[in-house]
Amino acid sequence: AQSVAQPEDQVNVAEGNPLTVKCTYSVSGNPYLFWYVQYPNRGLQFLLKYITGDNLVKGSYGFEAEFNKSQTSFHLKKPSALVSDSALYFCAVRDMRDYKLSFGAGTTVTVRA
Amino acid sequence: SAVISQKPSRDICQRGTSLTIQCQVDSQVTMMFWYRQQPGQSLTLIATANQGSEATYESGFVIDKFPISRPNLTFSTLTVSNMSPEDSSIYLCSVEESTGGYYNEQFFGPGTRLTVL
């Protein structure tokens, strides 16, 4: 079975400060990892993915994520947060042998001006 | 990436009635998925809809309650039958574009916000 944990329900940061959203995963095989963002009353938007290769993955809107196999983590980062980054962020994982995505519970990010 | 639209965007329905949600994609895709997002919660996969075959339902979801159609490679419907207030959720469809690998990301529609009174 595969699963994702997002240990923080909420993350609050000041605009201009670094933003980190944590994610740990569990899969039986090699993981494919994804981050999505959901703005109020909107569907999910794809941010980035890790399949293989460099552990640091760059995605949309200045976001990046670091894959750490030994810690089974895939934390989302942004060097300088914007108020417009305030949204609900979901980490997701799939086993390479399966098409099903498993989502974490989500982390609400609030960036204050 | 595929552009996905859903109809209706929201609806308020009476207990015991049914609602059919449509999902339209601007390109042909093999795999389409239906998810439910209950208030304040994460996404839960309801079923996978592949063209030409019956939908595959996840544990806790049954065809009688959530019948799905997939008549072609660009369209699918999900019906929420005999609704109760517990069915109040956002229903999202997603697609995975086929490029031969198992590592494609899924793209999501805007969702249908359903409220059952």
Side-chain angles (χ1 to χ4, degrees), chain A residues 36 38 41 49 94 104, chain B residues 37 42 96 104-106 113:
Chain A
Y36 289 86
Q38 185 176 37
N41 300 313
K49 66 181 177 183
R94 67 191 292 182
Chain B
Q37 185 179 19
S42 186
E96 178 169 322
N104 300 317
E105 59 271 27
Q106 291 183 20
R113 184 179 294 271

Side-chain angles (χ1 to χ4, degrees), chain B residues 92-109:
Chain B
L92 300 106
C93 71
S94 75
V95 304
E96 178 169 322
E97 294 180 307
S98 304
T99 58
Y102 283 88
Y103 46 81
N104 300 317
E105 59 271 27
Q106 291 183 20
F107 295 98
F108 286 79

Side-chain angles (χ1 to χ4, degrees), chain A residues 27-82:
Chain A
V27 294
S28 56
N30 289 329
Y32 294 152
L33 295 153
F34 307 84
W35 275 102
Y36 289 86
V37 59
Q38 185 176 37
Y39 296 99
N41 300 313
R42 304 270 296 274
L44 269 69
Q45 295 182 29
F46 168 74
L47 279 179
L48 51 79
K49 66 181 177 183
Y50 172 82
I51 302 300
T52 186
D54 290 341
N55 290 340
L56 186 64
V57 178
K58 294 187 181 297
S60 306
Y61 312 120
F63 284 95
E64 58 188 30
E66 186 166 12
F67 171 66
N68 188 316
K69 187 172 183 177
S70 63
Q71 298 185 4
T72 62
S73 67
F74 189 57
H75 302 329
L76 181 70
K77 300 179 180 181
K78 186 170 184 179
S80 179
L82 302 172

